[in-house]
Amino acid sequence: MMPAEFAIATEGLTKVFRNRWTGKEIRAVEGISLRVTRGATFGLLGPNGAGKTTFVKMLLSSAHPTAGRATVFGRDSREPEARRCIGYLPENHRFPTYMTGAGMLDFYGALSGMDAATRRKRIPGLLVTVGLETWGGVRLGKYSKGMLQRIGLAQALIHEPTLLILDEPSDGVDPIGRRQIRDILHTLEQKGVTIFLNSHLLAEVELFCRDVAIIHKGKVALEGTVKDLTAGSGYRVEAEKVPDQLQSQLRAQAKAVASRNGSVEFLFANREEANRAVDLLRAEQCEIETVGRTNSTLEDVFVRTVNAQ
Amino acid sequence: MLNNLRVTGALVRDTFREAFARKIFWGFAGCSTALILFFLFIMKIDVVEGAVATVSLFGKTSDTQDVARLVRQVHGGLAAFLFTAGMFLAVFASAGLIPTVFEPGRIELLLSKPVARHHILLGRYLGNLLVVAANVFYLVIAVWLIFGLKTGVWTFGFLWSSVLTVFVFAILLTVVLLIGVLWESAVVATMVTFGILILSPILAQKYTIERLLTSEWSRNVVRGLYYVLPKVFDLGNMARQIVLGDPITSWMPVWSSLLFGVVVLSGGLFAFSRRNY
């Protein structure tokens, strides 16, 4: 029994697909052990075919692990009851087009164990939350892609889950809709809902998630908080009107130098070197534009990690 | 328990909604209504002194006959129609209702709900069965009422034959379900079920076929197929016997077909529980 303080906990989770005829094996997920704490905002990243979706499917029991196990709030993920607290929005979902928005929420609400009275009470509010209050009675066949994403999110929220698993939630959504989705997720985060995001949009994950894991070729390649992973160890000093002599002097000390539109940017390995450079620049009456720590973007981290494998 | 009923209700309602949207339900209901209107307005029955009758159809009058016999003949004809054309139509029209559930993007969402896999599949199966059953009962009960009211002859055998019709469809639907799980194809499911329907009257002549075959091996194959596959033709004959009020000599077609259905349904549920989506 894994401790229930983790919303998701996996141990050596492995999935091997075997071709029925040739017997050829594809190791989609290989020994992933991951912990997602309660109330966390967790991003799962990885290039196409890395095994992200297979991993999520094993959490939801739509794919059976070849080895290892997964628990959701301490409960074996294979038990249907373990899924009662999960709200899920799959990637490339295909909602039945014969349903109306409200009808679809009612159907999935019933499957999630909600009684009719509770569903009736909750659906109008949820439609307002996702900005589809006037579309509840319209068939899903008439919805745009962005609207389908939003009604899909409402479907995932219908039974007030404590764990939300979203696979590419912003796919096909315009910037305003994207912002709206992010706001909804922020509200849920404040309520203590654990949010597990599977997305290609690194900037979105960086904006929203506290913890991330990068998986590559079925294995966890990197794991940590976004803050730690993107924090750089160097310092950046940008100044204008730097005399050539001083520029040459600082160039010799800096890790990197870049010149643009009359200003020069120096990258130093540590704070002491950056401070010394600032002293020299001030002594020469140079205009200092910025001084700060260097940061990597999540994209930099992602590319570095994937290329290093 | 209450939650299980709620989930089953939702799955059945969803199947009906899909049947409505794909015009399957309305197609069936339209055919049934056309037949009902035919018996109600076009076929005129004149009962003379409660025992003999003449039938008028498009102005042509048939010979005088025994009214009870006439009613049984019409009921028997309709039961035979339901067992042949009706069964083909039911399988053809509704075979897609189960495989559509396995479409990528739809099945993952269903499986993410706190519902056991077998429950999802059985709920859909029940929904599909009820779509067809509702139409069969609508047609049979309406025709039974029309003839009862027009002639005063109330034969309950016809009502029982409709139960047998739904039973046969339930057995054939297990094949659709198994094929649907294995191949996720409504076309393959329809073809295999049609194959069983077509083979049934052929295999029912097993004694004649056995006489024509030279090797014992081939005779065993025919015998084996007859006993293993659902006996749609024999059950159709049984329905006719029930309608005509004849005694049933053997219940073997019922229990052996039921056994086939149970085994195939279990196979479908097992395959579904093992699949990755």
Side-chain angles (χ1 to χ4, degrees):
Chain A
M1 185 85 177
M2 288 201 218
E5 78 237 32
F6 296 113
I8 297 169
T10 66
E11 257 179 25
L13 205 61
T14 302
K15 181 69 194 174
V16 180
F17 290 105
R18 264 184 207 92
N19 186 297
R20 215 182 288 178
W21 309 109
T22 61
K24 196 182 163 193
E25 285 188 353
I26 297 166
R27 304 187 79 80
V29 172
E30 211 167 344
I32 290 188
S33 299
L34 212 62
R35 299 275 190 276
V36 178
T37 48
R38 274 174 187 264
T41 46
F42 192 97
L44 187 67
L45 307 170
N48 291 333
K52 302 186 300 287
T53 301
T54 307
F55 178 78
V56 168
K57 283 182 176 182
M58 283 193 282
L59 291 180
L60 296 160
S61 233
S62 51
H64 304 295
T66 311
R69 61 190 297 248
T71 60
V72 176
F73 293 110
R75 236 183 158 133
D76 193 318
S77 68
R78 288 170 300 184
E79 294 172 27
E81 272 308 304
R83 300 193 287 275
R84 194 168 295 282
C85 55
I86 302 177
Y88 174 53
L89 175 65
E91 186 191 11
N92 302 325
H93 47 67
R94 208 149 152 190
F95 301 123
T97 50
Y98 53 84
M99 286 183 176
T100 61
M104 186 263 249
L105 295 180
D106 185 71
F107 173 61
Y108 288 113
L111 292 190
S112 302
M114 296 171 76
D115 62 60
T118 315
R119 296 196 307 264
R120 268 197 302 273
K121 216 162 83 182
R122 182 139 170 80
I123 289 168
L126 209 47
L127 287 168
V128 172
T129 306
V130 295
L132 293 171
E133 58 273 30
T134 55
W135 286 80
V138 179
R139 285 198 178 190
L140 296 178
K142 299 222 160 90
Y143 280 38
S144 68
K145 195 167 182 210
M147 287 160 81
L148 284 172
Q149 279 302 102
R150 283 189 275 157
I151 199 76
L153 181 63
Q155 164 281 135
L157 299 174
I158 180 82
H159 58 299
E160 299 185 309
T162 47
L163 168 61
L164 200 56
I165 299 178
L166 307 172
D167 209 343
E168 304 291 353
S170 305
D171 199 19
V173 183
D174 59 38
I176 295 167
R178 212 173 278 181
R179 178 69 179 267
Q180 199 178 11
I181 289 176
R182 209 161 44 230
D183 289 345
I184 295 168
L185 296 184
H186 272 303
T187 312
L188 292 167
E189 184 199 359
Q190 280 156 14
K191 286 182 183 167
V193 174
T194 310
I195 298 167
F196 186 97
L197 207 61
N198 188 359
S199 177
H200 281 105
L201 298 173
L202 298 170
E204 188 178 86
V205 172
E206 192 171 352
L207 267 173
F208 182 70
C209 294
R210 196 180 63 202
D211 305 304
V212 291
I214 298 173
I215 63 171
H216 186 43
K217 294 179 183 164
K219 293 176 183 168
V220 176
L222 192 70
E223 194 185 345
T225 63
V226 173
K227 199 176 158 193
D228 288 346
L229 294 178
T230 55
S233 55
Y235 286 80
R236 188 164 58 91
V237 177
E238 191 181 350
E240 280 181 356
K241 299 175 189 164
V242 184
D244 290 346
Q245 197 190 351
L246 183 56
Q247 242 186 74
S248 306
Q249 189 184 342
L250 292 176
R251 199 181 284 269
Q253 294 165 10
K255 272 166 65 182
V257 180
S259 306
R260 54 177 170 264
N261 303 331
S263 74
V264 190
E265 189 180 296
F266 302 94
L267 287 176
F268 296 100
N270 52 52
R271 193 166 53 189
E272 288 71 33
E273 285 181 5
N275 279 330
R276 215 174 300 134
V278 169
D279 292 344
L280 289 169
L281 288 164
R282 293 301 298 142
E284 292 287 335
Q285 309 289 316
C286 302
E287 297 288 340
I288 295 176
E289 283 284 326
T290 52
V291 177
R293 280 188 75 154
T294 55
N295 276 316
S296 304
T297 61
L298 197 54
E299 189 175 283
D300 298 333
V301 176
F302 180 84
V303 172
R304 266 203 308 269
T305 309
V306 170
N307 287 341
Q309 294 287 306
Chain B
M1 181 65 187
L2 186 68
N3 189 44
N4 281 344
L5 283 174
R6 187 180 297 138
V7 169
T8 308
L11 290 165
V12 169
R13 273 198 309 279
D14 179 49
T15 317
F16 266 80
R17 261 198 298 244
E18 187 165 351
F20 289 153
R22 292 168 64 176
K23 317 283 188 293
I24 294 167
F25 191 90
W26 304 121
F28 279 140
C31 291
S32 302
T33 307
L35 266 174
I36 291 164
L37 292 175
F38 169 80
F39 288 120
L40 190 61
F41 296 113
I42 298 173
M43 192 179 196
K44 288 203 167 64
I45 304 169
D46 296 314
V47 179
V48 186
E49 293 172 5
V52 289
T54 56
V55 177
S56 306
L57 196 59
F58 301 115
K60 289 185 179 172
T61 307
S62 73
D63 296 336
T64 305
Q65 25 183 327
D66 178 331
V67 70
R69 193 161 156 257
L70 170 77
V71 171
R72 284 208 169 97
Q73 275 175 348
V74 175
H75 283 175
L78 195 61
F81 169 78
L82 287 174
F83 261 84
T84 51
M87 205 58 74
F88 273 101
L89 192 68
V91 171
F92 179 74
S94 69
L97 287 175
I98 291 178
T100 52
V101 171
F102 310 120
E103 285 174 352
R106 185 168 174 184
I107 186 68
E108 292 94 333
L109 199 53
L110 280 173
L111 293 176
S112 75
K113 302 297 167 193
V115 184
R117 284 192 176 201
H118 68 267
H119 197 163
I120 293 172
L121 203 53
L122 286 175
R124 194 70 179 178
Y125 173 84
L126 182 65
N128 196 343
L129 185 61
L130 289 177
V131 166
V132 171
N135 276 288
V136 169
F137 291 139
Y138 163 59
L139 173 64
V140 168
I141 292 171
V143 171
W144 180 74
L145 281 173
I146 290 167
F147 275 85
L149 292 170
K150 279 190 173 182
T151 65
V153 177
W154 301 95
T155 53
F156 290 92
F158 185 48
L159 295 181
W160 281 114
S161 78
S162 66
V163 176
L164 211 52
T165 309
V166 174
F167 169 75
V168 171
F169 179 74
I171 302 297
L172 294 174
L173 196 58
T174 63
V175 179
V176 172
L177 180 141
L178 176 66
I179 304 290
V181 170
L182 294 178
W183 284 287
E184 296 170 17
S185 163
V187 177
V188 179
T190 310
M191 282 166 66
V192 174
T193 315
F194 276 12
I196 291 173
L197 274 169
I198 292 164
L199 264 182
S200 182
I202 299 168
L203 292 172
Q205 312 303 318
K206 66 178 187 306
Y207 295 118
T208 313
I209 298 170
E210 278 177 26
R211 276 201 300 275
L212 296 170
L213 296 170
T214 48
S215 72
E216 188 56 27
W217 178 85
S218 50
R219 277 194 286 271
N220 281 337
V221 170
V222 171
R223 228 172 278 150
L225 281 174
Y226 172 76
Y227 286 109
V228 168
L229 294 176
K231 286 139 203 79
V232 182
F233 184 79
D234 294 353
L235 289 165
N237 273 338
M238 196 181 264
R240 197 176 53 84
Q241 282 175 301
I242 292 171
V243 171
L244 297 176
D246 295 340
I248 303 297
T249 49
S250 168
W251 290 95
M252 189 276 285
V254 174
W255 65 255
S256 64
S257 299
L258 179 65
L259 190 64
F260 172 88
V262 169
V263 170
V264 173
L265 183 63
S266 307
L269 293 174
F270 177 73
F272 187 52
S273 73
R274 307 274 299 169
R275 281 210 66 168
N276 294 303
Y277 290 96

